[in-house]
Amino acid sequence: MSTEVLYRKWRPERFADVTGQAQVTRTLLNAITLNRVGHAYLFAGPRGTGKTTVARIFGKAINCEKPVEGEACNDCEPCKAFASGAFDFIEIDAASNRGVDDADRLRKQVNYAPSVGRYRVYLVDEVHMLSKQAFNALLKTLEEPPGHVVFILATTEAHDVLPTVTSRCQRFDFRRHTTGDVVGRLAYICKEEGFELDEQSLSIMARAATGSLRDAINLLEQVVSSHGPKPTLEQVQDELGMAGDARAYQLARQLFEKDLAGCLATITAVVDEGVELKRFLRDIKEALRSTLMAASGASASLDLGKEQMEQVAEIAELAGSDEATRALKVFGQVELKDTGSSLPLELAAAEYIVQANQRAEVAASAARLPQAAATPVPARPAPRQPERASQPPQRQQTRRPAMTPKTNGVVEPLPPLPGVESDVVQQIRGRWREVLDETRKRNFRVSGMLNGNSDVCGYENGVVTFGFRHQFHAEQMASGGDGQFLSVLEETVKELFGPELSVRCIHRADVREPDKGAPAGSSGGHLLKEAMDLGGK
């Protein structure tokens, strides 16, 4: 095996060999073919996407004496000089040469004629690191350099380059490589080097490199150095720290089976074995993401083995896309501290399972109620009809519902609405704080009108009735905000208690706000209590 690092050994020497940057190489080839070479270029893009490589190929090609359709011939004197390193291609690291003095020195150097070929090419890497004063010192030179000079400025932070500099350059944006592009290049290198890796191993490396081909090639060299030219999939995963813990899928299955005791036991086993919890949380999220994609019909996008794909398919069938989304949302909000405590994971499992059980109870209660024979009760009241013009003019009075009779200053309760003792009403009352919190996220005015002024006072045929102590609040909720207020409340109820529910709002002078439960952020709250009831330790 060559002692030269792989990414340098396999650096492309022709535009045709550059991976994934056709939009750049095509334009540069045309410029060379048409003899329309600019005086300054800006190459912008993430690391490892080929900026320096393309700059070197371009510098060689514009000096080639016999280019073939824009490609260097690699046989003339300038091409041989480039290969030996005795060529007028000067690379400058702007991170360590960023001052005014460095810029002045560069301004003086550009006056020297090239020793071979037609152009002296200056590649200024990480040009955004230059100080503002150095940029200003280069402006005139960039705008009107000597005819034998070509500047190529490369940067990973194009937004930090002064606009006055950018405007003097032709800009080319280098894109992150796709997983397919990286896998293809790695497969080519493996074939030439005699390495034997399966496609899934190469795909893992490509994803770990996040679009950087240089990083992917370095990972390949790291794996081969550690495990030889024929590493297994497990060795690749272990070397890159990407070996997914099978218990993450076990936990996902237990979540959707609503087995809280099993979830807590799995987390405890992981802790006892000394597994890094942040890594285990990442595996859980990946398992839930795979479940969501499989449940949504996007399993073809998953890069999993046959056995693991079958496992994900079974969990997805058990969960469904709605529950997979809810579980992923819950665990996506988990933040693990460096204390090593597993409590956030345990509470996340308890929160999801408790709420899933509550949603199931609400759905079961709704299914047990007799369905209305006629059209369901509309969620929003019908608009008021305008007064007839033929009515005699008289002083109009606001029509209000009959006031509740009072005895000795005490408000007598109005007759209860149908379904006031139903499971749905009790579920909403028991989670009143969640209702307030969710509505506040959507519209703080709706939450304000609910807080201290309302109660759930009835349920019938899939319609939940909210009563408001004040007539003004009832009217605002029923039709205020062009129906937006009622929509916010209805969306909240659907999210928390089931998509089959709708709401209506009425005036009820005898309502009192339900108990809000444990305050948000308390240690465990009602979720922890219910989790303990379900078998948590």
Side-chain angles (χ1 to χ4, degrees):
M1 185 187 301
S2 172
T3 57
E4 187 178 14
V5 294
L6 287 180
Y7 84 86
R8 294 186 62 181
K9 180 179 179 180
W10 293 102
R11 170 176 276 171
E13 296 183 358
R14 302 185 309 145
F15 286 116
D17 296 332
V18 176
T19 301
Q21 305 298 344
Q23 79 285 356
V24 175
T25 57
R26 181 173 56 250
T27 304
L28 294 178
L29 279 169
N30 289 338
I32 297 170
T33 303
L34 300 174
N35 196 26
R36 299 183 64 85
V37 177
H39 65 273
Y41 296 86
L42 176 64
F43 289 178
R47 71 180 192 281
T49 51
K51 300 184 294 296
T52 301
T53 296
V54 172
R56 292 172 63 85
I57 296 172
F58 183 64
K60 179 171 66 171
I62 62 177
N63 279 286
C64 179
E65 295 176 348
K66 298 178 292 183
V68 181
E69 296 182 353
E71 295 277 17
C73 69
N74 293 322
D75 192 43
C76 63
E77 183 180 356
C79 288
K80 291 178 179 178
F82 183 90
S84 65
F87 185 67
D88 294 299
F89 186 88
I90 300 96
E91 295 190 39
I92 301 171
D93 178 19
S96 54
N97 299 274
R98 61 190 306 268
V100 176
D101 293 340
D102 300 305
D104 288 338
R105 188 161 48 252
L106 178 59
R107 288 169 55 201
K108 295 175 182 177
Q109 289 179 1
V110 298
N111 293 316
Y112 297 120
S115 57
V116 182
R118 289 176 291 176
Y119 299 102
R120 281 175 69 90
V121 182
Y122 288 87
L123 170 61
V124 185
D125 201 11
E126 299 300 337
V127 69
H128 64 276
M129 297 293 289
L130 288 178
S131 66
K132 185 176 181 180
Q133 292 78 8
F135 269 130
N136 290 330
L138 279 177
L139 284 179
K140 190 63 176 177
T141 305
L142 279 174
E143 187 171 18
E144 297 179 3
H148 60 268
V149 170
V150 173
F151 281 104
I152 301 177
L153 312 181
T155 178
T156 55
E157 307 288 342
H159 55 275
D160 287 338
V161 180
L162 292 180
T164 50
V165 173
T166 303
S167 65
R168 288 165 168 79
C169 303
Q170 295 183 36
R171 175 170 172 170
F172 291 87
D173 289 295
F174 286 68
R175 303 168 183 167
R176 291 187 181 276
H177 293 96
T178 65
T179 300
D181 287 339
V182 177
V183 169
R185 186 62 178 173
L186 291 179
Y188 172 79
I189 294 173
C190 288
K191 179 181 178 182
E192 296 297 318
E193 290 286 339
F195 303 153
E196 295 184 14
L197 288 87
D198 59 31
E199 186 173 351
Q200 189 172 352
S201 296
L202 298 180
S203 181
I204 289 174
M205 294 179 192
R207 292 202 310 273
T210 61
S212 170
L213 183 55
R214 181 176 65 239
D215 289 357
I217 296 174
N218 283 336
L219 291 176
L220 172 63
E221 187 164 24
Q222 175 184 333
V223 169
V224 172
S225 298
S226 298
H227 303 285
K230 300 179 181 180
T232 64
L233 174 61
E234 291 74 18
Q235 288 173 330
V236 172
Q237 291 175 324
D238 185 64
E239 182 68 26
L240 302 186
M242 301 182 68
D245 195 318
R247 285 168 298 195
Y249 288 92
Q250 177 183 335
L251 182 68
R253 179 184 294 276
Q254 291 166 336
L255 283 173
F256 299 124
E257 289 175 345
K258 303 181 182 65
D259 179 9
L260 181 56
C263 287
L264 298 179
T266 298
I267 295 172
T268 300
V270 168
V271 173
D272 290 344
E273 291 184 16
V275 176
E276 183 185 359
L277 288 181
K278 288 185 178 180
R279 178 173 171 178
F280 185 61
L281 174 59
R282 185 193 67 193
D283 292 339
I284 294 172
K285 292 177 182 177
E286 186 62 30
L288 293 175
R289 174 182 173 273
S290 299
T291 301
L292 174 60
M293 294 186 70
S296 303
S299 55
S301 302
L302 296 174
D303 189 13
L304 302 174
K306 181 179 179 181
E307 293 183 3
Q308 202 169 25
M309 186 67 78
E310 292 175 354
Q311 184 180 24
V312 169
E314 292 177 3
I315 299 173
E317 185 176 357
L318 181 67
S321 58
D322 288 345
E323 290 303 317
T325 300
R326 291 188 176 102
L328 188 57
K329 182 178 180 181
V330 170
F331 280 87
Q333 295 172 345
V334 173
E335 293 185 6
L336 293 176
K337 306 298 182 183
D338 294 329
T339 59
S341 172
S342 61
L343 182 60
L345 282 179
E346 293 162 348
L347 283 178
E351 179 181 352
Y352 170 77
I353 292 176
V354 168
Q355 293 185 359
N357 284 330
Q358 291 173 341
R359 286 191 294 271
E361 291 174 9
V362 170
S365 299
R368 287 195 297 268
L369 291 172
Q371 298 298 316
T375 304
V377 178
R380 295 174 177 79
R384 295 179 179 178
Q385 298 295 327
E387 298 288 341
R388 296 179 180 273
S390 59
Q391 291 180 343
Q394 61 182 3
R395 182 176 178 180
Q396 299 294 323
Q397 295 184 351
T398 303
R399 300 185 62 186
R400 297 179 179 271
M403 299 302 295
T404 306
K406 296 183 179 180
T407 307
N408 297 326
V410 178
V411 178
E412 293 291 338
L414 294 169
L417 293 176
V420 71
E421 298 298 334
S422 72
D423 291 343
V424 175
V425 171
Q426 299 308 316
Q427 289 280 352
I428 298 176
R429 285 176 172 171
R431 298 172 64 188
W432 190 249
R433 175 169 290 280
E434 291 182 62
V435 173
L436 296 180
D437 290 344
E438 286 297 321
T439 52
R440 186 179 298 111
K441 294 176 185 177
R442 292 176 165 88
N443 189 306
F444 72 94
R445 292 184 62 187
V446 173
S447 180
M449 286 187 281
L450 288 171
N451 192 5
N453 297 303
S454 65
D455 184 16
V456 190
C457 54
Y459 172 81
E460 188 176 26
N461 298 328
V463 180
V464 181
T465 300
F466 285 78
F468 288 80
R469 184 178 298 118
H470 305 292
Q471 177 79 17
F472 172 76
H473 289 153
E475 293 177 353
Q476 282 290 301
M477 285 299 302
S479 57
D482 294 329
Q484 180 184 3
F485 296 159
L486 190 65
S487 296
V488 166
L489 180 58
E490 188 165 273
E491 290 169 3
T492 299
V493 170
K494 288 178 179 290
E495 171 71 19
L496 295 178
F497 304 102
E500 71 282 353
L501 301 176
S502 59
V503 302
R504 67 169 180 153
C505 298
I506 64 171
H507 174 221
R508 292 277 299 196
D510 60 336
V511 302
R512 69 174 186 85
E513 187 184 26
D515 180 16
K516 295 178 183 174
S522 64
S523 179
H526 66 287
L527 287 176
L528 185 57
K529 178 180 181 302
E530 294 195 46
M532 301 294 286
D533 293 341
L534 287 170
K537 302 284 185 180

